[in-house]
């Protein structure tokens, strides 16, 4: 349309100039151009009328519609999933009181710091029983759960973590997605600063990186049924400790897209680490993500993670 407008102005100027010079006739080409410009002008006028009518009927652009006519919403910095289970209400209440907050304070955390925090839990194997009802009642009061459509069981924990990332990336378009256990204290400000410092890395996997022995004895606490897949040395690949780790949006999207073919192992931290083998991922060994014993507020630990008591 702008090109047509420029052509129209040019032709009108040419016509005025020639008329002023006493030329009573213009070429056939110029005549056709003027006719074409007039047709384009009619079409432009019709489009402007249609646009005005659409605005009166309430039609707006997609961007304005998504944001109620205001400026675009700021993308969340992180979605934190606190992995919890049945019988852990004391832990959840301690977290709400200590750093997660609830109600208006939780909403303020999302709006001002761009950090979304939710507890993550599955469903009872006996759907609708007292365990499910307790969680539903708690969630009706706090509105701070992600309730996944899978069985809540220790042996399903790796699948639960995968489902959390899938749900989170499909629900929030955040920069990072963070997995936290429900016995961990998180300094939100330090976490936000650490994540923000890694925004330039498109595929980042950040945590307290480690590796270790693969246990093949069924009686061992950390028994790995697939021990034989890890070679003769039976050593795990590099992965983040399971207390807390973060992945960028691209990796969460990778998990979501490939959810049906991503292998899960006996331990959720090993499973998460295995998903990023063979793809171009930046492993960030961040000491601030390593858990420490109970500390005082004067400690200079970046994320300042402390362990809660374990309660049932």
């Amino acid at each position: 349309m702008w090109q047509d407008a420029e052509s129209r102005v040019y032709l009108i100027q040419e016509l005025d100039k020639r008329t002023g010079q006493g030329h009573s006739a213009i070429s056939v080409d110029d005549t056709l151009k003027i006719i074409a410009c007039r047709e384009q002008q009619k079409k432009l006028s019709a489009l402007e009328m249609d646009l005005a009518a659409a605005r009166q009927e309430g039609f707006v652009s997609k961007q304005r519609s998504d944001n109620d006519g205001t400026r675009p919403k700021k993308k969340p910095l992180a979605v934190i999933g606190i992995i919890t289970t049945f019988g852990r209400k004391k832990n959840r209440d301690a977290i709400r009181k200590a750093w997660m907050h609830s109600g208006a304070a939780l909403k303020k955390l999302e709006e001002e710091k761009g950090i979304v925090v939710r507890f993550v839990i599955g469903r009872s194997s006996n759907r609708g029983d007292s365990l499910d009802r307790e969680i539903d009642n708690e969630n009706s009061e706090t509105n701070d759960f992600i309730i996944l459509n899978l069985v809540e069981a220790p042996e399903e924990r790796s699948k639960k973590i995968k489902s959390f990332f899938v749900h989170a990336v499909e629900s929030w378009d955040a920069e990072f997605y963070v997995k936290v256990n429900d016995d961990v204290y998180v300094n939100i400000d330090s976490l936000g600063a650490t994540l923000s410092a890694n925004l330039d890395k498109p595929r980042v996997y950040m945590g307290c990186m480690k590796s270790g022995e693969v246990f093949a004895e069924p009686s061992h606490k950390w028994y790995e049924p697939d021990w034989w897949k890890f070679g003769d040395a039976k050593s795990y690949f590099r992965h983040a400790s399971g207390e807390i780790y973060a992945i960028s949006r691209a990796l969460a999207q990778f998990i979501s897209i490939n959810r049906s073919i991503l292998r899960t192992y006996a331990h959720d931290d090993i499973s998460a680490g295995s998903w990023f083998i063979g793809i171009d991922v930046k492993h960030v060994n961040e000491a601030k993500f390593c858990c420490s014993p109970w500390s005082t507020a004067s400690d200079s630990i970046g994320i300042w993670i402390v362990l809660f008591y374990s309660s049932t």
Side-chain angles (χ1 to χ4, degrees):
M1 289 183 182
W2 284 112
Q3 290 178 345
D4 291 337
E6 292 174 357
S7 300
R8 184 163 63 252
V9 171
Y10 168 75
L11 290 172
I12 291 173
Q13 290 174 345
E14 284 295 311
L15 181 59
D16 291 342
K17 183 171 64 175
R18 296 189 184 197
T19 303
Q21 292 176 349
H23 295 287
S24 59
I26 59 176
S27 68
V28 173
D29 288 341
D30 289 340
T31 301
L32 293 175
K33 288 180 180 179
I34 293 173
I35 293 173
C37 282
R38 288 174 178 171
E39 291 298 323
Q40 292 295 332
Q41 187 174 15
K42 291 179 181 179
K43 292 180 180 179
L44 179 59
S45 298
L47 287 172
E48 289 175 344
M49 293 177 64
D50 291 342
L51 180 58
R55 283 173 177 165
Q56 290 181 351
E57 294 179 12
F59 291 96
V60 295
S61 67
K62 185 179 186 299
Q63 181 177 357
R64 291 188 62 190
S65 176
D66 290 344
N67 297 286
D68 298 325
T70 62
R71 63 182 181 178
K73 292 181 179 179
K74 185 179 179 181
K75 180 180 294 186
L77 173 64
V79 176
I80 301 177
I82 305 172
I83 309 304
T84 190
T85 188
F86 301 123
R88 304 276 287 185
K89 189 176 186 301
K90 288 184 179 180
N91 284 57
R92 293 192 291 272
D93 286 341
I95 286 176
R96 291 184 182 110
K97 184 177 180 180
W99 63 270
M100 176 182 171
H101 308 303
S102 58
L106 182 61
K107 186 67 175 177
K108 184 178 180 181
L109 178 64
E110 297 179 16
E111 295 175 348
E112 295 187 357
K113 299 184 183 298
I115 297 179
V116 178
V117 189
R118 297 289 187 273
F119 290 106
V120 182
I121 197 167
R123 284 296 189 184
S124 170
S125 56
N126 299 314
R127 294 296 178 96
D129 64 6
S130 60
L131 295 176
D132 277 350
R133 290 195 298 273
E134 287 176 3
I135 294 300
D136 289 337
N137 291 337
E138 184 178 345
N139 188 39
S140 66
E141 296 177 358
T142 60
N143 193 30
D144 57 8
F145 277 87
I146 294 174
I147 302 177
L148 301 172
N149 187 28
L150 52 75
V151 174
E152 181 64 40
E155 63 272 16
E156 299 295 329
R157 188 176 175 90
S158 295
K159 294 180 181 178
K160 177 180 175 180
I161 305 303
K162 180 167 65 172
S163 295
F164 158 65
F165 286 127
V166 171
H167 176 91
V169 77
E170 292 180 351
S171 301
W172 293 279
D173 183 24
E175 298 289 354
F176 294 94
Y177 300 86
V178 184
K179 179 260 181 177
V180 179
N181 285 346
D182 70 352
D183 56 358
V184 171
Y185 180 104
V186 178
N187 184 321
I188 287 291
D189 291 331
S190 295
L191 173 62
T194 302
L195 294 176
S196 296
N198 289 272
L199 285 171
D200 60 330
K201 304 177 181 67
R203 294 175 299 279
V204 63
Y205 173 36
M206 186 188 318
C208 184
M209 294 294 168
K210 65 177 184 177
S211 59
E213 181 182 356
V214 180
F215 294 99
E217 300 80 20
S219 60
H220 197 279
K221 178 181 179 180
W222 305 114
Y223 169 61
E224 174 58 70
D226 290 321
W227 56 267
W228 55 274
K229 293 183 179 180
F230 295 91
D232 295 334
K234 297 186 182 67
S235 179
Y236 281 122
F237 40 76
R238 203 73 170 160
H239 63 278
S241 180
E243 287 81 8
I244 177 173
Y245 58 85
I247 63 174
S248 59
R249 180 175 62 256
L251 296 186
Q253 291 172 336
F254 173 81
I255 294 172
S256 178
I257 292 170
N258 297 283
R259 70 188 80 172
S260 62
I261 59 174
L262 290 178
R263 181 75 170 82
T264 56
Y265 291 92
H267 312 299
D268 63 273
D269 53 350
I270 301 299
S271 298
S274 73
W275 300 333
F276 309 132
I277 293 178
I279 60 177
D280 187 13
V281 173
K282 177 66 175 179
H283 287 65
V284 177
N285 182 25
E286 179 54 77
K288 297 172 185 176
F289 278 70
C290 297
C291 286
S292 67
W294 273 102
S295 307
T296 64
S298 62
D299 285 350
S300 59
I301 301 174
I303 303 302
W304 191 46
I305 303 171
V306 296
L307 297 179
F308 279 135
Y309 57 86
S310 294
S311 64
T312 57

